[in-house]
Amino acid sequence: MGSSTGVAADEVLAAVDAVLPPGTTAVRLSTLDARSREPGLRRAAALRGWVLVGHPAEVLARVPVPSPSERVAAATGTPSVAEAAALVHGGVLTVPKTVRGRVTVALAVPTPHPEEVP
């Protein structure tokens, strides 16, 4: 996820809830390392018991994404925050970057291991 400075926990939760499939219990909020220190993101993660992980811009910049942005690159040092953070550990992007107010979210799910595929 990406967010504006000073975003509130309720804004973060509303954005995540808008794209999260019902019944999802395992959630990791992943973002730019500088944003992971934002009180609103930290509070949102704490309220739901979610893990909050921050990644350096250099790491996110190496993740191939479908929707890079020159504006985001100029501001953060990476052409994608939400999609790159969702995909940084691999997986499949199931919800591309979605902007909701001052929060941008993307959703990725892990790639199943061959033994898990029916």
Side-chain angles (χ1 to χ4, degrees):
M1 67 180 315
S3 69
S4 298
T5 302
V7 69
D10 62 336
E11 293 174 274
V12 172
L13 294 174
V16 173
D17 288 344
V19 300
L20 204 59
T24 302
T25 56
V27 174
R28 177 178 59 209
L29 298 181
S30 185
T31 190
L32 192 61
D33 56 0
R35 288 289 184 242
S36 69
R37 295 186 285 278
E38 281 286 323
L41 269 68
R42 297 174 65 83
R43 176 93 172 118
L47 285 170
R48 298 280 177 91
W50 295 338
V51 174
L52 175 61
V53 181
H55 304 281
E58 301 80 34
V59 170
L60 295 180
R62 291 192 300 264
V63 178
V65 297
S67 307
S69 166
E70 289 181 22
R71 184 183 63 79
V72 171
T76 66
T78 177
S80 173
V81 175
E83 289 177 336
L87 292 167
V88 72
H89 295 292
V92 177
L93 193 66
T94 58
V95 176
K97 72 179 178 181
T98 303
V99 179
R100 183 168 174 119
R102 300 188 308 157
V103 180
T104 302
V105 293
L107 180 65
V109 296
T111 304
H113 294 280
E115 62 272 9
E116 295 173 358
V117 177

